[in-house]
């Protein structure tokens, strides 16, 4: 009998500060997650593994694996049980329905990623969010999620 191999985390575990996590994260399929420094977020068709506390449904099992909305986020860092490199976990909660999700931080500090399995990990479907491209040392710009328009980094994203 063969053994199923499921791809795991893309890269090494990374610890992020709140300031490093804040910003625009994109999934490469047109979805984005904008984490504001005040602990709020805006999601636009952002992929993830979500849980609905009212219906008890999860992504891959009766709940969509993309979501749009707003809510709050927090970041926690810990070492895995049994030791190993510490890693940050981003937790998001949509308001007012309470749907939630979480992502593990991997990659490098210079090029971090947020990722999670969608549905059954044995299926190997993953959501990977990468920091949006930023250009220029002064007057930095980024692509506006959903439109591709270039806007100043200092501009507040709704």
């Amino acid at each position: 009998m063969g053994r199923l191999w499921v791809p795991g985390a893309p890269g090494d575990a990374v610890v992020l500060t709140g300031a490093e996590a804040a910003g625009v994260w994109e999934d490469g399929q047109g979805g984005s997650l904008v984490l504001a420094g005040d602990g709020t977020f805006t999601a636009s068709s952002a992929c993830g593994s979500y849980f609905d506390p009212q219906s008890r449904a999860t992504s891959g099992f009766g709940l969509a694996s993309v979501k749009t909305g707003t809510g709050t986020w927090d970041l926690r860092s810990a070492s895995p049980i049994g030791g190993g490199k510490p890693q940050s976990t981003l937790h998001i909660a949509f308001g007012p329905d309470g749907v939630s999700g979480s992502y593990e931080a991997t990659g490098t500090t210079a090029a971090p990623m947020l990722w999670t399995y969608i549905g059954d990990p044995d299926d190997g479907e993953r959501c990977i969010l990468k920091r949006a491209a930023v250009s220029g040392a002064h007057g930095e710009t980024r692509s506006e999620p959903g439109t591709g328009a270039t806007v100043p980094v200092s501009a507040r994203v709704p």
Side-chain angles (χ1 to χ4, degrees):
M1 238 200 282
R3 187 171 172 185
L4 179 64
W5 178 81
V6 177
D12 295 329
V14 172
V15 172
L16 299 173
T17 65
E20 291 168 329
V24 180
W25 298 83
E26 298 174 331
D27 65 17
Q29 303 297 314
S32 65
L33 182 63
V34 180
L35 304 176
D38 66 358
T40 62
F41 74 86
T42 301
S44 177
S45 298
C47 67
S49 183
Y50 301 116
F51 172 72
D52 182 343
Q54 295 173 14
S55 68
R56 311 225 21 100
T58 61
S59 295
F61 303 96
L63 188 64
S65 61
V66 295
K67 187 149 175 66
T68 296
T70 60
T72 59
W73 67 274
D74 69 81
L75 192 66
R76 301 174 197 152
S77 298
S79 295
I81 296 173
K85 188 174 179 181
Q87 183 172 39
S88 293
T89 302
L90 172 74
H91 299 275
I92 62 173
F94 289 84
D97 63 8
V99 171
S100 63
S102 63
Y103 303 86
E104 302 297 321
T106 61
T108 65
T109 304
M113 293 178 275
L114 300 173
W115 83 281
T116 187
Y117 285 113
I118 297 175
D120 186 342
D122 288 340
D123 293 339
E125 186 178 354
R126 300 180 296 176
C127 164
I128 300 172
L129 300 171
K130 295 181 180 180
R131 189 172 292 287
V134 176
S135 64
H138 296 288
E140 296 179 67
T141 62
R142 64 168 170 71
S143 292
E144 178 68 18
T147 67
T150 301
V151 296
V153 170
S154 60
R156 184 167 174 83
V157 178

